[in-house]
Amino acid sequence: MKILGIETSCDETAAAVVEDGIRILSNEVASQVEIHARYGGIVPEVASRQHILAIIPVIKAALAKAGLDFEGLDGIAVTVGPGLAGSLLVGASVAKALAFSSGLPLAGLNHLEGHIYANWLGRTEEGCQTHPEPEFPLVCLIVSGGHSDLVLMKGHGDYVVLGRTRDDAAGEAFDKAARILGLGYPGGPAIERAAQKGVASIKLPRANLKGTSDFSFSGVKTALLRLVEGGRLTSAADGAASFQAAVVDVLVGKTVAVAKERRAKQILLAGGVASNSWLRQKLAQSSSLPVLIPEPNLCTDNAAMVAACGYFHFQAKKRDALNLDVIPGLKLA
Ligand code: KG4
Ligand code: ZN
């Protein structure tokens, strides 16, 4: 079964074709990062307009690379939320028009669900599956620009959110810390690069929020800001390394603990922050359970993950009507 995935929830215009939820036949991403970097963050109106310009060429490229036309496809999957309303509308409108004209079934999906399903995708360039398939029940840590969620999955499409952030999402915290340290935008990769040249020698607070699986990252961010404002930070690289270590410590500690408590068989990592090599390394080292992590380019926003998720959606005999709408505040469970 070959599914066309379409993703426009934030600032990446993406289309991909995935076979049977695991084999990537094409995976195209047109990034707007350079445009938004001028403003130091995403400008929603600019994002929507860029999606309009990019979406048709990106879909055409995804089909061409897969060597397919619409007759070779079995379904269309698109992100309908959470995300920026104007951005989501571009992908959803195009997906609905294509489903209408081709007669293909349509699936409107949750972006976070898509991130989780990046773990089903093959890992080699050819797209063949070389990693073990995720096994239920599992615990997934989703860490992106808008979310930090700990999710229990007992089966496909079955999600229980066990913990979430009470303030900043992990990616948002990385972005804000990068701004504080003058490292530019996007902040996550900038912090990771700077941290490689520094030492995690500065003591920053870790919010453990005992008795819950929730997160809080505003304290560590404020502590970093106070150091910079007080002229007490002499090295941005040490600041970046210390900040990264503090955030990763909390993410890893909570994830390993809740996976044990819930008797999960595996831990999955997902979302843009999952491309962070310190987080990948620390989680793998700290867990006695198998840890599955998508390739870094499948952690950040892409449409292959949406197509993979769409496959399991269609397998469960779920499909959406052409009156499908976007839901910017869509929740996972
Ligand atoms: O999943 P994603 O691409 O988009 C959303 O759904 O939000 O995640 C983007 C977030 C941004 O906050 C970005 O700074 C962060 O992921 N990020 C990273 C890294 N790469 C991206 N954070 C830490 N280390 C990285 N290498
Ligand atoms: Zn995302």
Side-chain angles (χ1 to χ4, degrees), residues 234-319:
T234 47
S235 153
D238 289 353
S242 306
F243 177 83
Q244 178 177 265
V247 171
V248 166
D249 267 0
V250 176
L251 290 173
V252 168
K254 294 246 165 195
T255 305
V256 170
V258 83
K260 195 171 163 202
E261 184 189 311
R262 298 287 170 157
R263 299 175 192 277
K265 286 195 180 141
Q266 292 178 340
I267 293 175
L268 266 56
L269 189 57
V273 182
S275 60
N276 182 278
S277 54
W278 188 249
L279 173 59
R280 299 167 78 92
Q281 213 177 304
K282 279 281 156 189
L283 184 59
Q285 279 170 7
S286 311
S287 168
S288 53
L289 299 172
V291 176
L292 302 193
I293 312 175
E295 284 295 304
N297 70 318
L298 297 172
C299 292
T300 47
D301 287 352
N302 66 85
M305 67 187 200
V306 179
C309 183
Y311 168 78
F312 291 100
H313 199 82
F314 290 127
Q315 285 294 96
K317 306 259 179 286
K318 290 189 257 182
R319 59 186 285 179

Side-chain angles (χ1 to χ4, degrees), residues 2 16-18 25-26 60-69 73:
K2 297 186 184 83
V17 180
V18 171
L25 304 185
S26 64
K60 279 188 171 166
L63 289 173
K65 288 222 172 126
L68 292 171
D69 54 21
L73 291 174

Side-chain angles (χ1 to χ4, degrees), residues 10 111 115 143-146 171-172 174-175 186-189 192 271-273 275-277 299-301:
C10 195
H111 179 75
H115 273 304
V143 268
S144 69
E172 186 183 1
F174 270 94
D175 293 333
E192 178 171 358
V273 182
S275 60
N276 182 278
S277 54
C299 292
T300 47
D301 287 352

Side-chain angles (χ1 to χ4, degrees), residues 8-319:
T8 63
S9 67
C10 195
D11 61 339
E12 320 278 10
T13 316
V17 180
V18 171
E19 189 172 20
D20 297 338
I22 56 170
R23 275 182 299 281
I24 300 173
L25 304 185
S26 64
N27 188 18
E28 295 292 301
V29 183
S31 177
Q32 305 176 6
V33 78
E34 280 173 25
I35 297 166
H36 297 290
R38 273 185 244 161
Y39 307 101
I42 295 163
V43 184
E45 182 63 24
V46 174
S48 324
R49 286 168 192 273
Q50 287 302 317
H51 284 309
I52 291 172
L53 294 175
I55 189 76
I56 301 293
V58 165
I59 291 173
K60 279 188 171 166
L63 289 173
K65 288 222 172 126
L68 292 171
D69 54 21
F70 283 94
E71 268 149 42
L73 291 174
D74 301 287
I76 298 173
V78 64
T79 304
V80 293
L84 301 167
S87 290
L88 289 164
L89 271 170
V90 177
S93 306
V94 170
K96 287 198 283 184
L98 293 175
F100 176 66
S101 59
S102 65
L104 287 167
L106 178 68
L109 304 176
N110 185 310
H111 179 75
L112 301 172
E113 200 180 356
H115 273 304
I116 296 174
Y117 275 89
N119 279 290
W120 269 261
L121 291 167
R123 306 213 158 179
T124 65
E125 276 201 280
E126 297 76 50
C128 66
Q129 196 189 28
T130 56
H131 65 297
E133 188 165 335
E135 255 185 82
F136 302 115
L138 57 84
V139 160
C140 183
L141 172 67
I142 312 170
V143 268
S144 69
H147 293 81
S148 300
D149 290 341
L150 266 170
V151 179
L152 174 69
M153 240 181 125
K154 288 188 186 155
H156 289 291
D158 177 355
Y159 312 102
V160 180
V161 179
L162 305 172
R164 54 167 59 89
T165 182
R166 295 196 181 169
D167 39 59
D168 294 344
E172 186 183 1
F174 270 94
D175 293 333
K176 287 179 178 172
R179 206 171 302 151
I180 291 168
L181 295 170
L183 297 173
Y185 171 88
I191 294 264
E192 178 171 358
R193 275 194 305 274
Q196 277 157 5
K197 297 185 206 112
V199 184
S201 52
I202 303 155
K203 243 181 119 190
L204 291 170
R206 275 104 166 126
N208 280 312
L209 306 179
K210 285 214 165 34
T212 87
S213 296
D214 285 350
F215 301 104
S216 166
F217 298 112
S218 63
V220 58
K221 174 197 69 190
T222 306
L224 188 68
L225 180 65
R226 295 280 172 271
L227 281 177
V228 172
E229 282 177 344
R232 281 173 287 133
L233 187 76
T234 47
S235 153
D238 289 353
S242 306
F243 177 83
Q244 178 177 265
V247 171
V248 166
D249 267 0
V250 176
L251 290 173
V252 168
K254 294 246 165 195
T255 305
V256 170
V258 83
K260 195 171 163 202
E261 184 189 311
R262 298 287 170 157
R263 299 175 192 277
K265 286 195 180 141
Q266 292 178 340
I267 293 175
L268 266 56
L269 189 57
V273 182
S275 60
N276 182 278
S277 54
W278 188 249
L279 173 59
R280 299 167 78 92
Q281 213 177 304
K282 279 281 156 189
L283 184 59
Q285 279 170 7
S286 311
S287 168
S288 53
L289 299 172
V291 176
L292 302 193
I293 312 175
E295 284 295 304
N297 70 318
L298 297 172
C299 292
T300 47
D301 287 352
N302 66 85
M305 67 187 200
V306 179
C309 183
Y311 168 78
F312 291 100
H313 199 82
F314 290 127
Q315 285 294 96
K317 306 259 179 286
K318 290 189 257 182
R319 59 186 285 179

